[in-house]
Amino acid sequence: ILRGGNLVVTERGIREGVRQALLPMWNAYSFLQLYAERPATWHTDSENVLDRYILAKLAVTRDEITEALDVYDIAGACESFRLFCDSLTNWYVRRSRARFWAGQDAEPEAFDTLFTVLEVAGRLAAPLLPLATEAMWRGLTGERSVHLTDWPAADELPADPDLVAAMDAVQSVCSVASSVRKANKLRVRLPLRKLTVASPAADALTPFTGLIADEMNV
C-alpha cells in the first residue's frame, strides 16, 4: 500500500511482517537481556571481525534509512531495516554465540557491541516500529523515550564498506553452498572434504576461509 498498490490484509501477511521485522530485533534484545552478566555499555572499537562487521553494516543501514526517509520512501526504509535484522540475528548473533555462552570466559566486547547495535537500531527503527522500539530502547537504556532522542549521527559508528561487502559475500557463499548441500541431500552434520568458491571476487574472501569452512562444516 505504501507504493500505491492494492492492499489485501491476510493473517499470513501479518505473520510475515512480524517474522521478518519484529521478531529478529526482539529476539536479539531478549538474548542480550538473558545472557549479559553485567550491564552492557556503548562500545564501538572491538577488534573482533564480527563486531566490526555488524557495526559497519549498521552504519550503512543508517545511511540507507536516512536517505529513504528524507524522501518519504517508507517502504525502502523498511526493507533496509529488514535486511539488517537478518544479518544481525541470522549471522552476527548466531556466529557469536560461543562468545556469549562461554560463562566466565564470555567476551565483554560481544555484549557491548550488541548493546550498541540495538541502541542505535532502536533509534533508526523508531519511526517505523514506534511501540516495539520504545519498549526495547527503554529496557536497554533506562531512559525516558526513544522518541525524545536524536537521530543517529553519521560519525557515531565506524564505517568499513570493504568489510561489509566481503562479509555480505561470505553470507551469500554460505547460503548458496547450503542450497547445494540440500539439493544433493547432504545433511549439515556431514563434513565436506572441500568447498570451491567460483567467483571473480573470490580472492577477497581469503581472510574468511576459516569462517566459511566452520559455517559449512568443511
Side-chain angles (χ1 to χ4, degrees):
I1 191 172
L2 293 172
R3 295 187 174 95
N6 295 325
L7 172 64
V8 179
V9 178
T10 64
E11 182 177 352
R12 179 180 179 182
I14 294 172
R15 288 183 181 276
E16 280 298 298
V18 171
R19 183 181 66 83
Q20 294 182 11
L22 279 173
L23 287 182
M25 191 174 180
W26 188 269
N27 288 342
Y29 165 69
S30 300
F31 184 88
L32 176 65
Q33 297 294 81
L34 180 63
Y35 289 101
E37 296 184 355
R38 63 165 180 80
T41 58
W42 181 276
H43 190 88
T44 60
D45 56 0
S46 172
E47 294 297 323
N48 182 277
V49 68
L50 288 172
D51 292 344
R52 288 166 45 218
Y53 163 71
I54 200 62
L55 288 167
K57 181 74 171 178
L58 182 58
V60 172
T61 303
R62 179 261 173 211
D63 293 342
E64 291 176 348
I65 292 179
T66 301
E67 182 178 348
L69 293 182
D70 279 346
V71 294
Y72 301 100
D73 180 11
I74 309 301
C78 290
E79 179 65 6
S80 180
F81 185 72
R82 183 190 69 79
L83 293 174
F84 172 76
C85 285
D86 183 67
S87 294
L88 175 64
T89 57
N90 292 331
W91 187 256
Y92 173 73
V93 172
R94 187 170 58 78
R95 292 298 315 171
S96 300
R97 280 179 177 172
R99 303 169 62 214
F100 290 110
W101 290 349
Q104 293 182 345
D105 296 326
E107 299 180 25
E109 293 86 356
F111 291 103
D112 291 341
T113 298
L114 182 56
F115 168 86
T116 303
V117 167
L118 289 174
E119 193 277 327
V120 176
R123 285 187 280 155
L124 288 175
L128 311 173
L129 301 169
L131 301 182
T133 52
E134 180 78 327
M136 286 183 280
W137 193 86
R138 291 177 65 178
L140 285 170
T141 67
E143 297 184 22
R144 184 178 176 187
S145 174
V146 68
H147 303 293
L148 298 176
T149 61
D150 292 330
W151 187 254
D155 60 355
E156 284 189 39
L157 299 166
D160 193 337
D162 292 338
L163 175 59
V164 170
M167 191 67 77
D168 285 349
V170 167
Q171 294 177 64
S172 296
V173 166
C174 293
S175 177
V176 171
S178 294
S179 299
V180 174
R181 224 188 222 284
K182 185 175 181 180
N184 287 275
K185 298 181 180 180
L186 300 174
R187 62 187 187 278
V188 176
R189 292 185 178 182
L190 178 67
L192 301 176
R193 293 181 182 274
K194 65 178 180 178
L195 186 149
T196 301
V197 178
S199 167
D203 289 344
L205 304 181
T206 301
F208 308 104
T209 52
L211 184 60
I212 295 173
D214 184 61
E215 175 71 12
M216 297 312 306
N217 193 15
V218 179

